[in-house]
Amino acid sequence: MKFYNKTDAIVEGILSYLEEKKSLDLLPEVAKKLSQQSFVRIDPNLAVVSSNVELNKKQTDEIKKHLSKYLNRPIRVKTKIDKSIIAGLRIEVAGQMIDSTVNRKLKELKTKVIYD
Amino acid sequence: MINISKTIGKKIDKFTPVLKAQSIGQIISIGDGVALIGGLADAMMSEIIEFPKKTYGLVLNLNKHTVGAIILGSGNHLKEGDEVTTTGRILEIPVGESLIGRVLGPLGNPLDGQPVPKTTQTEALEKIAPGVITREKVNQPVQTGITAIDSMIPIGRGQRELIIGDRSTGKSTIALTTIINQKKEKLICIYVVIGQKAAFTAQLIDTLKKFKAMDHTIIIAANASDSPALQYLAPYAGVAVAEYFAKQGKDALIIYDDLSKHAWAYRELSLLLKRPSGREAYPGDVFYIHSKLLERAVKLNKENGGGSITALPIIETQAGDVSAYIPTNVISITDGQIYLESDLFNAGIRPAINAGLSVSRVGGDAQIKAMQQVSAKLRLELAQFRELAAFAQFSSDLDPTTKAQLDRGSRITEILKQGWDEPLDIEEQVVIIWAVTNGYLDNVTIKNVKQWHQEFIKYIFITRPKLKATIKKEKVLTSKILKELEKYTQKFNQTHPQLVKQQEDQ
């Protein structure tokens, strides 16, 4: 119910259009195209910060301040909790990634031991 | 077991994680060795990108939101959504003296079961060809050891000479004979195999080893089972290796076997990358991929070390059609072509070179004087013979001059026949062409010509041991040498009546 209320007017419009044209079977194709677009469309002003534990306001503000200074424009910060990263931070912003997580280091070590 | 854990321990000790901002992207779609990647905003043209598990790719397309890349090697483990990072490097191949005698893949990986060659340098695969300032005119010959080529279609160091013909007309064989003949010539040979059967490569290695020619040869192979990406890169890898030697003032010979398959591989890649296709479904830049490759053949001037890269590209035609797209492209890029015909091949004329259609646009300057002296007459007599032979088919009784010309022509044809494993020294070629064009074989029956040829070469250089050295030194047939040749050829004909006599019986 909660999600239903949030359904975007545009989505509703598309769905009713598809229904009208009797083309609801195209939905998977539309979904595929949209998910591909999601790889491509990156909000240049949004930073996604992943961490193992929740960050407090002070920490988030600090990250925001530094990123805005580094990229020379106001940056919004979205935090995400990801238990698989073990420890450290991963910051993704404008197609760039700064990854200082333990998980990443372990992965790098693994490739080095196996392939070098 | 202890050793393994020790090695792993050492590797772990050495490992120092580095923290840096990386440009990242994700695979949107992947298949047939081609990946479409989202993100990767910093990717550059021809940059190497890294996929998971140390798999690399090469950027070939930069679109508004996506990057098109070819995967180098196997990409079976890759899937949609996998992370891709840029490396800031362009494609390079390790180069060095240790490559000589080896069989390598286009990325420098050994294919002969031996360890990776020890090298300290690398050369970029994609490079702009040397400019006008660094070049000079072709002035030194490449001796192929094939009489028909060295006399009529001479190749100079730094030249690009196309070998063109239908399947199984002896195209690769000409290249092979040329490599075998370079034992004494200080010419480093690089054989690039593109899209051929692996059995062909194996046979090539065996043959070269048998003739001890691997001591000056490097084979770069992308066989038919390798991905089109590797087949596309193989010739560029080959020329990068050649450039390493040329930079040091050495002479290199590179054979591309063959560029038709290279064009096919590039067409495949381009279609998969959804580039617009043109004539015969080739992309618009198919001319450029060959011209930028063949422009890298060079004769450097003295200030730049004087090294050279001679290129012998091979093109396979379909049913003798030289006016198809790729053959005409490559003909227009190169400095001449050696045209092989299946009719001649089947008639037993091997090498099956069509002397009328084959040309060398710059090689004449590189030919040694002695060869120039004798080959001018050879060309003329052969051309007259061809013209007459066409008419003579219809008439029964011929006047004596015509008959003499026909007889001379058929003997010349016979002299130019040569086994692929019997390359001749330039001095031997000069002497034999001199003999045939001056009528010393006119009384020898056709079937005895080969024997006459062999015995005469043996005789003249045994009785006159200094002759070879004199021709080599003087580089010209002086009147003194000519007199000597006349005297001893006459003597040879007198002392070998069994070879000459039969004509009188007829």
Side-chain angles (χ1 to χ4, degrees):
Chain A
M1 233 20 223
K2 194 177 158 196
F3 285 105
Y4 177 78
N5 291 336
K6 281 195 175 174
T7 315
D8 205 271
I10 299 170
V11 176
E12 221 169 300
I14 292 174
L15 284 176
S16 58
Y17 175 78
L18 286 175
E19 198 181 3
E20 198 180 296
K21 294 278 174 198
K22 298 209 177 351
S23 308
L24 271 175
D25 55 329
L26 288 179
L27 257 184
E29 302 259 331
V30 175
K32 199 177 168 195
K33 205 78 198 165
L34 280 175
S35 68
Q36 284 187 0
Q37 287 286 321
S38 73
F39 287 142
V40 171
R41 291 280 165 83
I42 299 163
D43 186 348
N45 297 326
L46 180 71
V48 179
V49 179
S50 312
S51 60
N52 190 17
V53 289
E54 205 171 335
L55 298 175
N56 58 31
K57 178 92 174 51
K58 199 183 157 200
Q59 287 166 324
T60 322
D61 283 347
E62 192 74 2
I63 291 171
K64 200 192 257 182
K65 201 178 99 192
H66 271 98
L67 284 176
S68 299
K69 196 180 160 196
Y70 172 66
L71 292 166
N72 234 345
R73 59 174 185 265
I75 299 290
R76 287 175 286 125
V77 170
K78 190 175 141 191
T79 55
K80 215 162 113 184
I81 291 176
D82 184 354
K83 290 284 175 198
S84 73
I85 65 176
I86 305 174
L89 282 179
R90 187 172 69 215
I91 305 167
E92 284 171 55
V93 58
Q96 298 260 326
M97 181 182 65
I98 303 162
D99 196 334
S100 66
T101 60
V102 172
N103 186 24
R104 173 80 172 192
K105 283 175 194 164
L106 286 175
K107 262 190 193 161
E108 258 174 42
L109 181 61
K110 187 175 148 193
T111 20
K112 206 172 169 66
V113 169
I114 296 174
Y115 298 102
D116 275 5
Chain B
M1 201 58 205
I2 302 162
N3 274 340
I4 293 173
S5 56
K6 249 188 195 168
T7 341
I8 294 175
K10 257 187 205 164
K11 277 189 177 177
I12 294 174
D13 284 343
K14 270 191 207 161
F15 176 71
T16 39
V18 277
L19 182 64
K20 58 174 191 276
Q22 266 182 316
S23 184
I24 51 156
Q26 278 170 314
I27 300 179
I28 295 177
S29 68
I30 188 161
D32 304 309
V34 167
L36 192 68
I37 300 150
L40 225 53
D42 292 348
M44 296 179 292
M45 199 62 187
S46 308
E47 186 184 350
I48 297 290
I49 50 176
E50 194 177 339
F51 294 99
K53 296 198 180 168
K54 286 256 169 186
T55 306
Y56 293 96
L58 179 69
V59 176
L60 276 192
N61 265 4
L62 294 178
N63 304 323
K64 195 173 175 188
H65 294 298
T66 56
V67 169
I70 50 176
I71 297 156
L72 306 171
S74 165
N76 291 338
H77 58 278
L78 301 177
K79 55 186 190 301
E80 187 185 327
D82 274 355
E83 210 165 77
V84 191
T85 55
T86 54
T87 59
R89 288 185 287 134
I90 55 163
L91 201 50
E92 285 177 327
I93 182 169
V95 290
E97 301 290 330
S98 57
L99 261 54
I100 296 174
R102 301 297 305 270
V103 185
L104 305 164
L107 305 174
N109 50 315
L111 299 176
D112 49 7
Q114 285 170 40
V116 179
K118 285 202 175 76
T119 50
T120 51
Q121 282 183 49
T122 56
E123 284 276 343
L125 260 67
E126 290 277 347
K127 217 186 279 172
I128 298 291
V132 250
I133 307 294
T134 56
R135 291 178 187 249
E136 71 174 10
K137 214 172 82 171
V138 168
N139 53 27
Q140 267 180 302
V142 172
Q143 307 296 5
T144 62
I146 302 165
T147 316
I149 295 177
D150 289 341
S151 59
M152 293 185 294
I153 323 150
I155 302 170
R157 296 193 176 186
Q159 191 181 341
R160 303 152 301 167
E161 181 80 10
L162 171 66
I163 303 172
I164 187 168
D166 273 8
R167 64 184 168 76
S168 62
T169 46
K171 300 182 298 297
S172 307
T173 314
I174 286 185
L176 193 61
T177 312
T178 310
I179 294 182
I180 292 170
N181 195 43
Q182 302 313 319
K183 255 188 238 169
K184 298 171 255 172
E185 299 277 349
K186 286 187 184 165
L187 196 62
I188 294 152
C189 304
I190 297 151
Y191 201 110
V192 184
V193 180
I194 311 156
Q196 306 275 8
K197 294 182 287 256
F200 170 83
T201 316
Q203 199 189 351
L204 179 75
I205 299 165
D206 272 355
T207 318
L208 289 175
K209 273 189 184 152
K210 201 174 114 194
F211 286 91
K212 298 201 166 56
M214 273 311 270
D215 304 344
H216 58 263
T217 307
I218 301 163
I219 297 177
I220 309 272
N223 295 316
S225 64
D226 288 323
S227 70
L230 292 179
Q231 292 182 34
Y232 162 66
L233 291 173
Y236 301 102
V239 77
V241 174
E243 273 164 355
Y244 164 79
F245 291 107
K247 259 190 212 166
Q248 298 176 337
K250 292 180 183 167
D251 293 316
L253 172 79
I254 182 160
I255 292 141
Y256 305 112
D257 193 358
D258 64 71
L259 287 190
S260 331
K261 295 203 177 62
H262 182 242
W264 291 354
Y266 190 59
R267 174 169 64 183
E268 202 174 326
L269 286 178
S270 302
L271 290 173
L272 289 169
L273 285 165
K274 299 198 168 58
R275 288 180 175 175
S277 56
R279 185 177 158 188
E280 288 175 33
Y282 289 106
D285 61 343
V286 74
F287 184 91
Y288 178 61
I289 64 159
H290 287 154
S291 63
K292 73 176 172 185
L293 173 71
L294 292 167
E295 268 301 294
R296 285 163 79 174
V298 65
K299 171 81 183 112
L300 293 168
N301 55 21
K302 290 243 161 55
E303 293 80 56
N304 288 285
S308 74
I309 300 173
T310 311
L312 296 180
I314 295 177
I315 287 277
E316 188 178 296
T317 52
Q318 307 293 328
D321 183 16
V322 282
S323 60
Y325 192 23
I326 303 301
T328 43
N329 276 355
V330 183
I331 286 174
S332 76
I333 296 164
T334 48
D335 308 309
Q337 70 273 359
I338 296 169
Y339 184 53
L340 304 175
E341 265 182 359
S342 38
D343 287 350
L344 291 174
F345 189 84
N346 295 335
I349 300 168
R350 296 172 199 180
I353 297 169
N354 180 325
L357 289 178
S358 304
V359 286
S360 170
R361 290 183 201 125
V362 293
D365 300 338
Q367 217 169 14
I368 68 163
K369 200 81 197 236
M371 188 50 112
Q372 281 175 354
Q373 277 173 293
V374 293
S375 67
K377 210 170 170 186
L378 178 78
R379 248 180 184 287
L380 189 71
E381 295 215 10
L382 209 55
Q384 283 172 343
F385 166 68
R386 268 200 310 273
E387 204 167 302
L388 285 174
F391 281 110
Q393 282 180 340
F394 304 106
S395 60
S396 50
D397 50 321
L398 298 160
D399 65 280
T401 344
T402 316
K403 196 169 178 312
Q405 271 186 342
L406 281 174
D407 285 346
R408 178 73 60 83
S410 46
R411 273 160 191 81
I412 292 175
T413 313
E414 208 61 29
I415 283 292
L416 295 180
K417 282 186 193 173
Q418 197 178 344
W420 67 269
D421 51 352
E422 312 162 334
L424 286 179
D425 286 346
I426 194 78
E427 299 83 15
E428 292 171 352
Q429 293 179 13
V430 168
V431 168
I432 201 79
I433 293 172
W434 173 86
V436 71
T437 50
N438 284 288
Y440 290 96
L441 273 92
D442 288 356
N443 290 330
V444 181
T445 47
I446 298 283
K447 69 174 186 343
N448 280 342
V449 168
K450 193 164 176 66
Q451 201 189 342
W452 191 95
H453 180 173
Q454 286 164 348
E455 304 249 332
F456 176 67
I457 291 290
K458 236 184 267 168
Y459 171 86
I460 195 95
F461 290 118
I462 287 172
T463 48
R464 309 302 302 158
K466 281 183 190 160
L467 187 64
K468 217 173 196 172
T470 323
I471 297 177
K472 201 170 202 166
K473 204 180 96 194
E474 305 256 347
K475 293 202 164 92
V476 187
L477 292 181
T478 54
S479 52
K480 198 179 148 203
I481 298 177
L482 285 173
K483 262 192 199 132
E484 205 174 331
L485 274 174
E486 271 164 33
K487 189 176 148 195
Y488 284 92
T489 317
Q490 274 164 4
K491 224 180 218 175
F492 175 79
N493 274 349
Q494 283 161 9
T495 50
H496 292 75
Q498 78 281 8
L499 292 173
V500 188
K501 220 173 161 186
Q502 286 168 9
Q503 181 72 17
E504 288 159 12
D505 300 338
Q506 273 183 353

